[in-house]
Amino acid sequence: MQTLIQDIDILTPEAQASCETVKVSVETSTGKARKLYIESYGCQMNFSDSEIVASIMHEGGFDTTASEENADLIFLNTCAIRDNAEQKIRHRLQHLNGLKKRKPSLMIGVLGCMAERLKIKLIEEEKVVDLVAGPDAYRDLPNLVSEVDGGQKAMNVFLSRDETYADIAPVRLNSNGVSAFVSIMRGCDNMCSFCVVPFTRGRERSRNPHSIVDEVKDLFAKGYREVTLLGQNVDSYLWSSNPDVISILGEKKAVKQGADLTGVEIINFANLLEMVAQVSPLVRVRYSTSHPKDMTDDVLHVMAKYDNICKYIHLPAQSGNSRILELMNRGYTRETYLDRIRAIREILGNDCGISMDLIAGFCTETDAEHQDTLSLMQEVKYDFGYMFYYSERPNTPAEKRLKDDISLEVKKKRLAEIIALQMEHSLERNRLDVGKTFKVLIEGTSKRSEDQHMGRNTANKVVIFPRSDKHQKGDYVMVKVYDCSAATLFGELV
Ligand code: SAH
Ligand code: SF4
Ligand code: F3S
């Protein structure tokens, strides 16, 4: 239990899929000569990237397979966010070493954030690895594979300032055919002191909004009914038809400095959200992740205006104490964070789902400061959360400037307290839903029983209800909730 605690990141099994768990690829048989097995770790951005990789590799002569035994090529799309994320990959590589001994022609590639962080070291330290590619190098994968075919090890870890893979139609690997991830931006410019992402994913850049809308239209035509727009900080999404003006200055500064913006199309996140919501009222729109320092009331008003934009916000807090937030370089205080919560409640009401990320035991955190995190949770009453203890990452600002001085024991104790309190709050929040009727989008069969359907309501709560032959996945149904646990609502069709 103790050693596993960092893996209890979230409360619902369905949502668990979005955090450091593995997703493997599906079978696509279009008669290509070779087979790729791809496994994704980490956040939704990685799952979304694997779909881009599958598309690029398809052009490069590979179908995907759901079985590692059948594969000619295995890609692990990796995460570097916490040490245990990387340990998982090391273990997988050991296992793959055994597989490769039995099948020497097998090629093994490591992609994603751990690849970008470790670069050549990964090839030096893990003999089984043939190929290393960072998040901005995926177009180069077919060439890298050819190099390995020619008997060499291959690597490309260049980060780009403008790569968004906007023109690549993802092969939907992880999908239930109802919901899909759509990347709207890449990279991150925030430099939170604990975080590796700015180093593994490079500078922030926003994808052309018209290509985003086209992708959503295409998904709708193929029967999809829910899209999740993805970015590390969606609130700083900003695209302009004249990139020189905006990418250098930012919209506000450009206006302030009197740059000539006539005829220049400028799209911020509120604008983009509205464009996507207008694709069809039948397509639900979700997004992740919001940043408390950048979330505007405009975004909340657009959410209120459209029924099909889900009333759910993931608003990571990281800590409830302003001194710790400052050390984390998060760009907000406890008070300004709570002001954003107030805005959500005012504009979207008490039913809007709110979730968080929290880190226990960051450098120099005192017991009193940890209590501030618990009291922040009491004030907000989150619906659920992803909770971690601090894991120092090499070369981050925190590693360079601060001391990781909280013992593992204390970190784990604080985390356990945070998780226990969140369990209480999740149950309390779910109880408020008992007796209410929700519009639920059916995502499939419940994992626990063939006789039950599983879907979610607008607030991102998992709802389980008896299946009826009249309905199938992708349908909207009205469900009245009669009971709940901390993780799930149980209901009947009405
Ligand atoms: N862009 C998102 C977060 C992406 S990483 C945001 O700004 O909120 C997902 C979560 O992992 C973070 O919110 C944070 O809670 C956690 N995390 C990141 N680095 C960590 C570290 N070094 N140790 C423990 N948790 C970390
Ligand atoms: Fe990391 Fe901060 Fe960027 Fe999130 S906003 S990805 S925590 S640097
Ligand atoms: Fe992990 Fe990279 Fe995502 S470090 S959390 S896979 S951006």
Side-chain angles (χ1 to χ4, degrees), residues 192 194 290-293 316-318 325-326 328-332:
C192 301
F194 51 78
S290 302
H291 199 302
K293 79 175 164 65
Q318 316 300 4
L325 288 169
E326 168 89 48
M328 289 175 162
N329 194 30
R330 285 288 289 177
Y332 54 87

Side-chain angles (χ1 to χ4, degrees), residues 358 360 370 373-374 377 387 414-422:
L358 280 172
H370 164 63
T373 293
L374 297 175
M377 294 172 72
M387 297 156 281
R414 288 179 187 169
L415 177 61
E417 285 171 18
I418 290 172
I419 291 174
L421 185 60
Q422 185 50 45

Side-chain angles (χ1 to χ4, degrees), residues 81-82 194 232 289 316 318 330 357 359 388-389 391 393:
I81 200 82
R82 286 167 288 275
F194 51 78
Q232 291 299 352
T289 302
Q318 316 300 4
R330 285 288 289 177
D357 294 347
I359 299 177
F388 318 96
Y389 62 74
S391 163
R393 309 306 293 128

Side-chain angles (χ1 to χ4, degrees), residues 277-342:
Q278 285 171 351
V279 168
S280 163
L282 286 176
V283 175
R284 273 187 168 178
V285 185
R286 299 186 184 276
Y287 63 86
S288 190
T289 302
S290 302
H291 199 302
K293 79 175 164 65
D294 295 320
M295 194 182 76
T296 62
D297 287 359
D298 286 352
V299 167
L300 301 177
H301 287 299
V302 170
M303 288 176 76
K305 184 171 159 194
Y306 291 89
D307 253 1
N308 59 325
I309 304 181
C310 290
K311 305 302 178 276
Y312 163 65
I313 297 179
H314 180 57
L315 195 67
Q318 316 300 4
S319 166
N321 175 271
S322 295
R323 187 186 75 90
I324 295 293
L325 288 169
E326 168 89 48
L327 286 181
M328 289 175 162
N329 194 30
R330 285 288 289 177
Y332 54 87
T333 61
R334 177 188 177 98
E335 289 66 39
T336 52
Y337 181 88
L338 284 170
D339 172 72
R340 295 293 75 208
I341 297 287
R342 185 195 48 75

